[in-house]
Amino acid sequence: MSARPPVVRIAPSPTGDPHVGTAYIALFNLCVARKGGGRFILRIEDTDRTRYDASSEAKIFEALRWLGLRYDEGPDVGGPNGPYRQSERTPLYREMTETLLAKGAAYRCFCTEERLEELRATQRAMKLPPGYDGFCRHLTPDEVRAKVAAGVPHVVRMSVPKEGSTTFHDDLRGDVTFENKTIDDQVLLKSDGFPTYHLANVVDDHAMGVTWVIRAEEWITSTPKHVLLYRAFGWEAPRWTHMPLLRNADRSKISKRKNPTSLIWYRDQGFLPEGLLNFLGLMGYGHPEGKEKFTFDELVATFDIGRLSTTGPVFDLEKLKWLNGEWIRSLTDDDLAARVVAHVERRAQAPTPEDAANPVMRRVLATGADDAFRALVRRTTPLVRERIRTLEEYASIAACFFHDTLPTYPAEDLVAKKRTPAETRDALARVRAALDAAPSWRAAELEAALRALAEATGWKPGDLFTPVRTAVTGAKVSPPLFETMEILGRATTLARLDAALPRLG
RNA sequence: GCGCCCAUCGUCCAGCCCGGUCCAGGACGUCAGCCUUUCAAGCUGAAAACACGGGUUCGAAUCCCGUUGGGCGUACCA
């Protein structure tokens, strides 16, 4: 391999939401670019006007930016090799198609969709491998001229030699060989004048100076076509690396139906970009020191293309959540609080029906993320940081801080273990009195008061705290009780106790 | 069907290229215990894998062949 700095790229197509697989491939491309002091290009492959989604492109930019996957060149950042949208490069493809035609490496094909369909049906019936039969390959120049003159719609196909074989070297898999007779005469230029992926990707990679193609495994079978194209043009082919495909739990290629695949989804679920990126870096890659948690820079520092594995990793959401939790816990309280606020604010811009039942969201929807809100989030994050794995989980664990009045909870949750409702009510009344008598409202003091009360009444501290917890937070699971009461304040705490007392009969 | 790729705990990864130090190591998850005001977090421990069959070799998770299994491709989609 040459020592010149690598030029790599990703080439997503703007169809639907930005895909987690795009980020996965982008991550390793960026690694190679940074490691080798090269360039990373983003190119939009929008040559399929039937699947084109106008909103998709902006979402791709947004998602990559969110993840910190910075590209040196791209549609929105410019660069010396633009334009970076294939739909804006059609003259180039036409010109290159003419070159191929002139060299005899491609030919015009006038076959109709119907004939092609029929051909495929016949091949299926005869259990033959499907593929174009080369009908138009043998048209005479005169016949071709006549049809073109007559305006017969046509495509341009590549003229694949039917003898011999084509081999390319894959970084991870070694030499891969295909018999030429198994390679179809691929369409290069569609009848609408747009190129197919095969033509566009080769032409653009060459034009943009791409030296190293790192893409998903699903492209392996079309690589020989690309190699043949480079050869026909007389261009030097890039280095090839085919990454394994991310998988669903059943090991099929990761898909929307069986797994969340939208990067937007991960962001809106409250995953940290650091966490998702780190997790993606764990897929198919083994850190030399066996580290699980690492930053992008740490990944680059130790990165070695040879350490990539070839087996398709199953995308395990549970492990992602764990890793994300690790990242959340490694943030400072200020940072975490700011991220929670930003997350809630973003969600508030497009609230879902369920958000109306979410006290944190309701608060922001009503008053905006004002100073009081920010302050409350900041005060509560130290209590919940060890209890959340995503930013989104903040809303459920910290709900008790945002309710004006607690939603109804089962009265039996109020009853202490092995005690009757009446006994619990009496104890709770004494808790209320003890709290009310506290000279200052600080967690340590409140705890001391209740522990003294437990001692005096012969209750086990834990047994006494249970009904208090339920009364104060409305749930059997909550952040640490005394810190919670401190933040809630005397009035709110006592009011909640007062509301609970009658429910014990 | 055909072509190509792949094959270590349920899952992610280490070991494989340069056979012995591997009765296979780490992590997630699971289970148990500790800690403890709940839940978490943390700590300790446990169960859990070299797909199968041949071969090469004194010796194979590691090399070779085959089988099986899985995946991808087989479009005027990328």
Side-chain angles (χ1 to χ4, degrees):
Chain A
M1 304 306 129
S2 61
R4 65 194 161 152
V7 177
V8 299
R9 50 60 166 185
I10 54 165
S13 46
T15 52
D17 278 1
H19 201 272
V20 67
T22 300
Y24 177 56
I25 300 296
L27 171 63
F28 288 102
N29 270 278
L30 224 210
C31 263
V32 165
R34 292 291 171 267
K35 187 93 191 172
R39 283 151 40 219
F40 174 46
I41 301 172
L42 169 66
R43 183 173 69 223
I44 300 294
E45 307 236 338
D46 56 350
T47 57
D48 182 357
R49 75 285 164 224
T50 61
R51 293 204 309 163
Y52 181 73
D53 170 0
S55 71
S56 182
E57 186 186 272
K59 285 193 278 193
I60 292 172
F61 301 155
E62 189 184 346
L64 292 176
R65 208 177 316 123
W66 172 63
L67 283 167
L69 260 12
R70 285 261 145 62
Y71 34 93
D72 304 296
E73 301 175 31
D76 55 336
V77 301
N81 299 295
Y84 295 94
R85 284 183 196 91
Q86 293 188 323
S87 59
E88 296 167 11
R89 300 170 67 86
T90 50
L92 213 212
Y93 308 127
R94 283 173 189 278
E95 183 194 334
M96 291 299 111
T97 302
E98 290 303 325
T99 302
L100 253 16
L101 249 12
K103 291 184 175 202
Y107 60 93
R108 296 182 201 277
C109 171
F110 302 88
C111 291
T112 61
E113 193 58 54
E114 294 71 52
R115 187 181 111 77
L116 259 20
E117 199 39 64
E118 222 169 276
L119 178 64
R120 276 190 282 264
T122 311
Q123 287 164 334
R124 255 198 312 276
M126 295 176 68
K127 290 180 184 280
L128 288 168
Y132 185 63
D133 62 356
F135 184 81
C136 293
R137 191 167 173 167
H138 312 297
L139 257 27
T140 67
D142 284 343
E143 288 172 310
V144 172
R145 255 193 302 279
K147 283 177 186 290
V148 171
V152 180
H154 64 278
V155 302
V156 174
R157 288 180 182 275
M158 69 183 290
S159 199
V160 177
K162 291 302 149 191
E163 301 293 314
S165 63
T166 300
T167 298
F168 70 92
H169 183 84
D170 181 276
D171 267 307
L172 268 20
R173 302 152 210 271
D175 286 344
V176 181
T177 300
F178 289 78
E179 291 300 320
N180 289 161
K181 61 172 179 286
T182 66
I183 305 173
D184 201 10
D185 279 2
Q186 255 310 321
V187 169
L188 298 177
L189 198 68
K190 306 180 228 180
S191 54
D192 64 1
F194 278 86
T196 59
Y197 171 84
H198 307 287
L199 207 224
N201 123 82
V202 166
V203 166
D204 286 341
D205 281 346
H206 176 259
M208 295 179 176
V210 171
T211 63
W212 192 346
V213 171
I214 301 164
R215 74 219 313 186
E217 185 181 18
E218 55 190 334
W219 294 107
I220 289 179
T221 19
S222 35
T223 304
K225 292 168 192 168
H226 305 160
V227 169
L228 256 14
L229 246 18
Y230 275 99
R231 242 179 246 164
F233 281 120
W235 297 336
E236 185 187 352
R239 216 227 263 214
W240 308 100
T241 303
H242 290 93
M243 301 274 305
L245 241 21
L246 257 20
R247 312 292 188 96
N248 296 312
D250 65 4
R251 297 217 167 265
S252 54
K253 171 164 93 170
I254 195 165
S255 64
K256 198 163 32 171
R257 278 292 132 242
K258 299 174 179 175
N259 236 319
T261 56
S262 165
L263 293 172
I264 304 289
W265 184 87
Y266 288 96
R267 187 196 62 187
D268 290 349
Q269 271 315 297
F271 287 96
L272 266 28
E274 295 95 324
L276 215 211
L277 217 47
N278 186 169
F279 181 68
L280 256 13
L282 245 26
M283 302 278 91
Y285 185 74
H287 185 104
E289 290 161 35
K291 282 179 73 173
E292 302 267 333
K293 178 167 176 280
F294 47 77
T295 63
F296 174 73
D297 288 342
E298 288 173 312
L299 174 58
V300 171
T302 63
F303 185 73
D304 172 10
I305 195 80
R307 291 193 68 84
L308 278 167
S309 98
T310 45
T311 42
V314 171
F315 192 98
D316 181 6
L317 207 50
E318 276 308 308
K319 186 156 186 176
L320 202 213
K321 284 181 183 170
W322 163 76
L323 226 206
N324 202 64
E326 291 285 311
W327 275 98
I328 280 184
R329 268 172 259 122
S330 72
L331 299 177
T332 62
D333 287 328
D334 284 341
D335 193 358
L336 214 209
R339 296 204 200 203
V340 167
V341 169
H343 178 256
V344 175
E345 278 189 293
R346 191 176 48 234
R347 296 272 314 226
Q349 287 172 227
T352 64
E354 304 87 69
D355 286 337
N358 176 330
V360 178
M361 189 64 72
R362 229 172 24 211
R363 170 67 199 280
V364 170
L365 254 14
T367 65
D370 56 17
D371 288 348
F373 174 78
R374 287 165 194 272
L376 186 51
V377 170
R378 176 59 184 82
R379 272 193 95 188
T380 54
T381 40
L383 307 197
V384 305
R385 57 180 303 137
E386 246 120 55
R387 296 171 169 76
I388 59 176
R389 296 184 299 176
T390 63
L391 299 176
E392 182 63 12
E393 286 174 357
Y394 173 85
S396 47
I397 190 72
C400 61
F401 297 110
F402 294 87
H403 280 115
D404 293 328
T405 52
L406 251 22
T408 315
Y409 50 86
E412 61 259 36
D413 287 357
L414 234 23
V415 183
K417 200 166 34 163
K418 286 184 281 193
R419 304 281 182 168
T420 65
E423 288 172 320
T424 305
R425 189 200 53 223
D426 292 344
L428 216 45
R430 298 185 64 170
V431 165
R432 197 224 183 268
L435 255 20
D436 198 16
S440 78
W441 198 260
R442 294 200 15 262
E445 188 169 351
L446 303 178
E447 176 170 4
L450 293 204
R451 282 189 187 279
L453 177 62
E455 176 81 19
T457 54
W459 282 57
K460 285 167 72 176
D463 290 347
L464 181 61
F465 299 161
T466 298
V468 180
R469 181 186 309 283
T470 301
V472 172
T473 69
K476 287 156 79 172
V477 172
S478 80
L481 182 57
F482 304 104
E483 286 84 347
T484 297
M485 292 197 295
E486 177 178 323
I487 291 174
L488 249 19
R490 171 181 252 120
T492 300
T493 303
L494 295 182
R496 288 182 181 181
L497 251 12
D498 288 337
L501 253 8
R503 301 196 64 199
L504 284 163

